[in-house]
Amino acid sequence: MIKYLDLKQVNAPYEAEIQQALNSVLQRGWYLQGEATHLFEQHYADYIGTKHCIGCGNGLDALTLILRAYMEMDLLHEGDEVLVPANTYIASILAITENRLTPILVEPDINTLQIDDSLIEQAITPRTRALMIVHLYGRCAYTDRIGELCRRRHLLLIEDNAQAHGCQHVATVPRHTGSLGHAAAHSFYPTKNLGALGDAGAITTNDSQLAATVRALGNYGSSRKYVFDYKGRNSRIDEVQAAVLDVKLRYLDEANERRKHIAALYANKVSNPHIVMPQSDRDCVWHIFPILTQHREALQHYLLQHGVETAIHYPIPPHQQQCYAEWNSRSLPITERIHQQELSIPCHPAMTDEETEYIIQLLNQWSF
């Protein structure tokens, strides 16, 4: 059986170093806001290319804290609109509504599966204050058109970088996603390209005021012990996760290159009129390799019968979820098509070329 993702295999090359890092945490006897957290925050900020990195509990908290901080800074206010791709994992939207801001869903480009930058400006109203882009599947969603629009319309640009650690915007000087906007949220959920051994997240930014506000908000609203400037929450990365992530960060680019190699094999060798392959013309770190087919259930069953696990990202779009029942009657046909047809095939650094070639053979032979 070729698993969709085998985390034990993925982490095996770093096991000895991870064990050593965990032993160091145990020996220090300090488990929150200590040396491991400080080092990882510094190293990750340097890697992304920002002045600040603030660890937190998870990716959803990272998004929520960014928006909440902007509200405390008087840059966002209850009811303000935040443009967000309709095709995204629901966390992007949950962070907006949790802060009593108004999400405005923008359809994706069917070719890139990312927010369609030609549709953004027409969605702007006098209440629009921010744009959240999501580097979904590991593909860079930022475009020069988006950057120019945000500057011209004075919009905050927030990146959801939960799925794109190590991805770059290819320009004259390449820049990592997570450094392209005013602030970015990162998830280190175990399945991510940079995954912890549990939940963890971070915020990156060049804005020192935002960084200080986010750090305080995630520490009960406190910047000094027992002094509370905000009604905050408890959302801090722990020393164990920080130590693990600091080890794995050293190998992130190497692991991403392996993902790109596997993706290139798929892109160059899969040829089936019933399968739409993702574009590979931008830099992408392939957290997910999404194919589209009108016969998803049949293909998924066929692959499983032949020993290949797959996944679906995601079967129900956010606007059709029960928690947003007020949106259920909306028609977002491109988003709906993606969620009806998307199938994720294995693409991770522990895969062998032989496994990849076997999957390619199955995809090319499939008919219904």
Side-chain angles (χ1 to χ4, degrees):
M1 173 67 70
I2 300 175
K3 292 186 177 182
Y4 175 70
L5 180 63
D6 187 332
L7 288 178
K8 186 175 181 181
Q9 264 192 312
V10 168
N11 287 323
Y14 328 119
E15 187 173 339
E17 288 182 73
I18 287 173
Q19 190 63 58
Q20 184 178 1
L22 295 178
N23 289 340
S24 295
V25 172
L26 282 171
Q27 289 166 8
R28 284 194 295 268
W30 192 276
Y31 307 121
L32 279 169
Q33 298 179 302
E35 182 181 338
T37 295
H38 173 74
L39 285 174
F40 173 67
E41 289 180 340
Q42 182 180 48
H43 294 159
Y44 195 61
D46 290 344
Y47 177 84
I48 294 295
T50 56
K51 292 179 182 177
H52 306 282
C53 170
I54 305 94
C56 64
N58 54 69
L60 174 56
D61 280 2
L63 287 168
T64 304
L65 288 167
I66 289 169
L67 294 170
R68 171 71 186 285
Y70 279 131
M71 297 180 82
E72 295 290 352
M73 294 165 61
D74 206 32
L75 296 177
L76 289 176
H77 303 90
E78 188 172 323
D80 282 350
E81 293 173 354
V82 179
L83 306 180
V84 64
N87 178 42
T88 186
Y89 183 58
I90 201 167
S92 311
I93 299 170
L94 289 172
I96 298 170
T97 56
E98 183 174 337
N99 280 290
R100 298 185 180 179
L101 299 164
T102 304
I104 303 298
L105 307 183
V106 180
E107 283 268 64
D109 181 333
I110 192 60
N111 295 309
T112 66
L113 310 184
Q114 307 300 311
I115 192 168
D116 189 335
D117 63 7
S118 71
L119 300 178
I120 295 173
E121 188 153 24
Q122 67 193 54
I124 296 174
T125 77
R127 295 302 306 272
T128 306
R129 297 290 180 269
L131 167 62
M132 181 185 294
I133 57 173
V134 183
H135 305 298
L136 200 65
Y137 314 122
R139 180 183 296 277
C140 181
Y142 178 88
T143 65
D144 292 335
R145 185 177 188 173
I146 286 173
E148 187 277 330
L149 175 63
C150 287
R151 287 188 292 272
R152 177 163 47 86
R153 300 300 293 264
H154 305 290
L155 300 179
L156 293 169
L157 179 57
I158 300 162
E159 299 174 74
D160 182 340
N161 198 50
Q163 298 187 4
H165 313 105
C167 183
Q168 292 186 327
H169 173 56
V170 180
T172 306
V173 179
R175 294 165 60 197
H176 278 117
T177 55
S179 70
L180 304 172
H182 295 96
H186 309 254
S187 167
F188 304 120
Y189 186 74
T191 60
K192 299 299 171 64
N193 290 36
L194 181 60
L197 299 187
D199 270 324
I203 297 96
T204 53
T205 183
N206 286 317
D207 185 330
S208 297
Q209 183 183 0
L210 178 71
T213 307
V214 162
R215 192 177 292 281
L217 284 169
N219 188 36
Y220 297 97
S222 172
S223 55
R224 289 184 296 140
K225 194 169 185 178
Y226 302 135
V227 177
F228 302 92
D229 302 312
Y230 312 103
K231 297 174 184 175
R233 63 170 63 193
N234 176 15
S235 181
R236 301 171 297 196
I237 194 170
D238 64 65
E239 288 286 280
V240 167
Q241 304 308 334
V244 170
L245 290 167
D246 206 37
V247 169
K248 294 180 69 176
L249 179 59
R250 301 169 205 155
Y251 303 99
L252 176 58
D253 288 342
E254 178 184 337
N256 282 342
E257 285 304 313
R258 181 63 191 164
R259 289 176 184 268
K260 292 177 186 180
H261 170 76
I262 293 165
L265 291 176
Y266 284 144
N268 292 329
K269 295 189 175 185
V270 173
S271 180
N272 187 317
H274 304 295
I275 297 172
V276 177
M277 301 294 286
Q279 281 190 357
S280 57
D281 56 340
R282 293 188 194 177
D283 187 82
C284 183
V285 292
W286 301 107
H287 170 61
I288 292 166
F289 193 95
I291 62 176
L292 301 180
T293 175
Q294 295 182 32
H295 309 278
R296 177 171 67 192
E297 286 70 24
L299 178 55
Q300 187 172 42
H301 180 69
Y302 161 81
L303 289 172
L304 188 59
Q305 278 188 316
H306 289 82
V308 178
E309 287 185 347
T310 57
I312 297 173
H313 296 91
Y314 302 92
I316 305 172
H319 72 280
Q320 292 182 340
Q321 296 285 354
Q322 180 58 37
C323 63
Y324 291 117
E326 66 274 21
W327 299 345
N328 288 175
S329 61
R330 290 189 185 182
S331 175
L332 294 165
I334 300 175
T335 295
E336 290 160 19
R337 174 184 165 188
I338 294 169
H339 286 252
Q340 290 161 4
Q341 297 185 7
E342 194 277 341
L343 185 67
S344 306
I345 60 176
C347 185
H348 59 81
M351 284 181 67
T352 66
D353 282 3
E354 290 74 22
E355 289 172 327
T356 308
E357 294 287 353
Y358 175 66
I359 295 170
I360 290 167
Q361 180 183 5
L362 290 176
L363 292 173
N364 285 335
Q365 291 175 350
W366 175 60
S367 61
F368 55 92

